Amino acid sequence: MKNYFLFLVYIAITSAEAQQRPKLVVGIVVDQMKMEYLYRFSDDFSPNGFRRLINNGYTFPNMHYNYMPTYTGPGHASIYTGTTPSTHGIIGNEWFSRTLGKEIYCTDDVLVKTIGDGTSKEGEMSPKNLQSTTITDELRLATNFKGKVIGMSLKDRGAILPAGHFANWAFWYSKTGAFISSTFYGNKLPDWVTEFNQEKRYMPYINTGWDLLKPVANYNESLADNNPYEGKVNGEKPVFPYDLKAMFDNNDASILRATPFGNDLLAEFAKKAIEKEELGKDNITDFLTISFSSTDYVGHILGPRSMELQDTYLRLDQTIADFLVYLDKAVGKANYLLFLTADHGGAENTNYLKDNKYAVTNIEPKEIRKALKQYSIDTFGEDLVLNYSNFNVFFNKAIIKAKELELVKVKQSFKDFLMTQEQVKRVYSEEEILGSSGNDYYLNFIAKGYDSKQNGDLIVLDKPGYIEYGATGTSHGTAYSYDTHVPLLFYGWHIKKGESFDKKAITQISPTLSQMLKIPFTNGTEAKVLEEILGK
């Protein structure tokens, strides 16, 4: 009897030790998801997708990005590093680097090669431009590299940046329809990935086409089909139903990106990864990062008020519901910790706002560049602007020096000119940004997104509602709430039900996970945590 009692004590202690960490952490990022969508589309959500996460998990409905620019690359990097672009160095998706004097892409790496059935350029990617560690890196270190980390997305940056420097693998979607990777991670794809790709699982979605999931009456939260604020989908009018097979025949498998089925394919791939990599099968914590990108493609092309976007979210709700059931069975309900957030929000279409009497407009970036060039030639006799992109103005210092001009006066001249432009709210110089004292709300956003070795000489803050984009669809990138306000849902292992309406910063996710997993903080974070979910 005594031995039996000791055995039970041993089992209890062993079980308690096993529960010090979850068996699997799943980080889900929904690209371009505004918090508003959880409210606007809620009547048509199932009980088992987003609602399950909300009703049985912890919700932070006032989560915001705390820097500018709000783009995909910086968003994914900030979620997982727990810091902002000024520290982690991913200051855009692509940007002109003042140090290198050329455009670079956030995950470019010419020293690695594509592995898998993709083009040579699609796989020349790695996390080398990411200057901070990620929560996934710290998990690898804390488990002596025994815990597995795998990242995946339709986008290379959505897979690579969350997975960090030490990931076992990162996989992203090629226009060939295959998931590929780079030699940064290995010399050949795992056999299960090759087998998955050979099955061409994208084709059933393409052959079926895209029609509304529910009766048209359910889409009363959206504008009419084929409204004037929508762009073309793969060259075709934005009208249901979509003949995806015809689009595929005229293009390639990349057409799946701008449909809800890109998300479905990725979820299939995630399940296969959990099965074949045996994620969550032992007591050493693994981490799977998933970034659903189709929402962003649909949003950019068709805008936030399109039936297509609503349909994409209704289908994503079903995809998440199905994935949760899979996790319950494959890992166990009490064994996984899941969080869901977004890399940025998105603006309303400016023409839609204008038609409803809000005097804003879109501005094509090429028109801004053209105006800057003309002003420079008229004022200084030469084009002194090296580059304008991502709200940054870069000056050609060599020409300024050769013409014996004072850089400070040149900056002021261009600031004065930019302030005459309809869309501009404020212009900040490098000196103002680096010397920011905390008294200017938006300057603080810009400072947290500014890397003095890479960013420009001036940063432009547009007025609310204006976007530097085309006339249809939408974009993002500003410091305003429509771009910064995203959902954050925690669910699963050691998560109590509840919600907090206190304003939170996206950089609090990573350090909170560090505390929950009892591992070191990432090396760039301020370590401000979400205390609400850390208590007993």
Side-chain angles (χ1 to χ4, degrees):
M1 189 69 180
K2 181 180 178 182
N3 289 338
Y4 180 70
F5 175 74
L6 291 174
F7 174 74
L8 291 178
V9 171
Y10 170 76
I11 293 295
I13 292 172
T14 303
S15 298
E17 288 176 349
Q19 287 300 302
Q20 288 300 304
R21 292 175 182 159
K23 291 185 176 183
L24 177 65
V25 181
V26 180
I28 296 177
V29 177
V30 182
D31 206 325
Q32 201 188 122
M33 184 177 187
K34 296 146 69 96
M35 180 65 199
E36 172 210 353
Y37 296 151
L38 285 179
Y39 303 138
R40 200 203 309 171
F41 305 141
S42 62
D43 287 349
D44 294 308
F45 286 151
S46 73
N48 304 313
F50 289 118
R51 283 187 183 175
R52 176 177 169 184
L53 298 179
I54 293 168
N55 293 337
N56 299 291
Y58 203 97
T59 304
F60 293 93
N62 198 13
M63 171 60 66
H64 288 264
Y65 278 84
N66 53 349
Y67 63 82
M68 174 185 154
T70 40
Y71 294 137
T72 296
H76 284 80
S78 298
I79 291 165
Y80 284 89
T81 62
T83 188
T84 61
S86 62
T87 299
H88 63 59
I90 304 299
I91 60 171
N93 295 332
E94 58 278 314
W95 62 90
F96 185 88
S97 170
R98 69 156 66 180
T99 300
L100 299 176
K102 65 177 184 179
E103 291 269 359
I104 65 172
Y105 178 67
C106 60
T107 52
D108 266 345
D109 188 348
V110 296
L111 299 180
V112 300
K113 304 299 180 186
T114 302
I115 58 171
D117 184 22
T119 66
S120 59
K121 282 292 183 184
E122 285 180 301
E124 292 180 354
M125 305 288 167
S126 86
K128 74 167 191 176
N129 294 322
L130 182 63
Q131 298 171 19
S132 304
T133 61
T134 59
I135 182 64
T136 46
D137 287 330
E138 296 300 337
L139 179 65
R140 290 280 283 162
L141 290 168
T143 60
N144 201 21
F145 290 88
K146 294 176 183 177
K148 286 187 177 181
V149 168
I150 294 178
M152 59 181 61
S153 177
L154 298 186
K155 296 181 180 180
D156 48 67
R157 56 189 180 269
I160 292 169
L161 297 172
H165 303 274
F166 306 136
N168 299 83
W169 285 101
F171 304 106
W172 52 99
Y173 186 68
S174 165
K175 62 184 181 180
T176 64
F179 283 95
I180 62 171
S181 191
S182 81
T183 52
F184 179 85
Y185 302 98
N187 294 322
K188 65 184 287 287
L189 290 177
D191 290 342
W192 67 265
V193 178
T194 301
E195 292 168 7
F196 185 94
N197 288 336
Q198 288 173 345
E199 293 171 359
K200 295 187 176 180
R201 296 197 184 191
Y202 59 90
M203 282 308 302
Y205 297 114
I206 288 173
N207 289 331
T208 301
W210 181 14
D211 204 350
L212 292 173
L213 176 66
K214 298 192 175 188
V216 67
N218 289 68
Y219 295 81
N220 57 346
E221 292 86 11
S222 302
L223 299 178
D225 200 15
N226 194 21
N227 65 70
Y229 314 113
E230 300 177 324
K232 291 185 176 181
V233 179
N234 297 306
E236 301 295 327
K237 289 182 179 180
V239 181
F240 283 105
Y242 287 91
D243 185 345
L244 299 183
K245 183 62 168 60
M247 291 181 182
F248 172 74
D249 291 342
N250 292 329
N251 297 278
D252 51 46
S254 64
I255 66 108
L256 201 69
R257 299 176 190 270
T259 76
F261 310 118
N263 293 335
D264 292 335
L265 181 67
L266 187 67
E268 285 190 52
F269 190 65
K271 291 178 190 176
K272 187 62 70 173
I274 292 170
E275 175 193 348
K276 295 299 184 179
E277 295 290 339
E278 298 187 329
L279 301 181
K281 290 300 183 184
D282 57 29
N283 290 329
I284 301 174
T285 302
D286 300 317
F287 206 127
L288 175 64
T289 76
I290 305 170
S291 178
F292 290 114
S293 307
S294 290
T295 44
D296 186 66
Y297 289 107
V298 174
H300 273 296
I301 296 168
L302 297 153
R305 300 284 166 179
S306 64
M307 292 172 68
E308 287 84 352
L309 188 77
Q310 182 172 354
D311 196 67
T312 298
Y313 275 96
L314 298 188
R315 291 177 182 275
L316 180 59
D317 178 64
Q318 291 192 340
T319 301
I320 289 172
D322 176 71
F323 188 60
L324 291 173
V325 170
Y326 178 83
L327 289 173
D328 292 344
K329 293 179 180 178
V331 184
K333 287 185 178 181
N335 295 326
Y336 66 90
L337 170 64
L338 180 146
F339 70 88
L340 182 148
T341 189
D343 54 349
H344 52 74
E348 293 283 359
N349 176 271
T350 52
N351 285 320
Y352 172 67
L353 295 178
K354 190 191 302 181
D355 289 346
N356 285 279
K357 302 182 181 180
Y358 182 9
V360 294
T361 189
N362 67 292
I363 308 96
E364 299 273 7
K366 65 182 180 181
E367 294 301 318
I368 300 173
R369 288 191 284 270
K370 181 179 176 182
L372 286 168
K373 179 178 180 179
Q374 190 61 54
Y375 172 77
S376 186
I377 293 171
D378 292 344
T379 307
F380 299 100
E382 199 161 353
D383 187 5
L384 305 182
V385 177
L386 197 59
N387 183 274
Y388 175 81
S389 55
N390 298 341
F391 311 103
N392 284 246
V393 180
F394 295 83
F395 292 114
N396 191 321
K397 308 289 175 54
I399 295 178
I400 290 172
K401 184 177 181 181
K403 292 180 73 70
E404 298 183 348
L405 297 170
E406 292 184 45
L407 181 57
V408 172
K409 291 183 178 179
V410 170
K411 288 183 181 180
Q412 188 59 53
S413 179
F414 276 88
K415 282 181 68 175
D416 293 341
F417 167 71
L418 284 165
M419 287 299 293
T420 68
Q421 303 301 292
E422 176 189 355
Q423 78 275 13
V424 175
K425 179 72 173 178
R426 182 84 185 267
V427 182
Y428 298 95
S429 68
E430 177 185 7
E431 292 77 14
E432 289 174 298
I433 295 165
L434 296 180
S436 86
S437 62
N439 295 324
D440 185 324
Y441 180 75
Y442 291 112
L443 178 54
N444 288 334
F445 274 71
I446 290 170
K448 288 177 179 177
Y450 190 88
D451 182 340
S452 59
K453 289 189 174 182
Q454 300 190 90
N455 278 101
D457 299 286
L458 301 175
I459 303 288
V460 178
L461 176 69
D462 289 336
K463 296 173 185 174
Y466 287 79
I467 59 173
E468 297 189 10
Y469 198 63
T472 57
T474 192
S475 191
H476 46 86
T478 74
Y480 299 116
S481 61
Y482 47 80
D483 285 338
T484 68
H485 189 198
V486 297
L488 175 60
L489 313 174
F490 271 91
Y491 177 84
W493 180 84
H494 284 197
I495 297 296
K496 61 188 178 183
K497 172 180 168 57
E499 62 183 347
S500 171
F501 290 94
D502 288 346
K503 185 179 181 182
K504 305 295 183 182
I506 204 74
T507 47
Q508 293 178 266
I509 296 173
S510 172
T512 301
L513 290 169
S514 290
Q515 295 282 270
M516 296 185 75
L517 300 178
K518 296 180 172 60
I519 63 175
F521 291 118
T522 56
N523 60 16
T525 186
E526 292 182 10
K528 293 181 179 179
V529 299
L530 301 165
E531 295 183 14
E532 293 89 340
I533 60 171
L534 293 177
K536 295 295 184 182

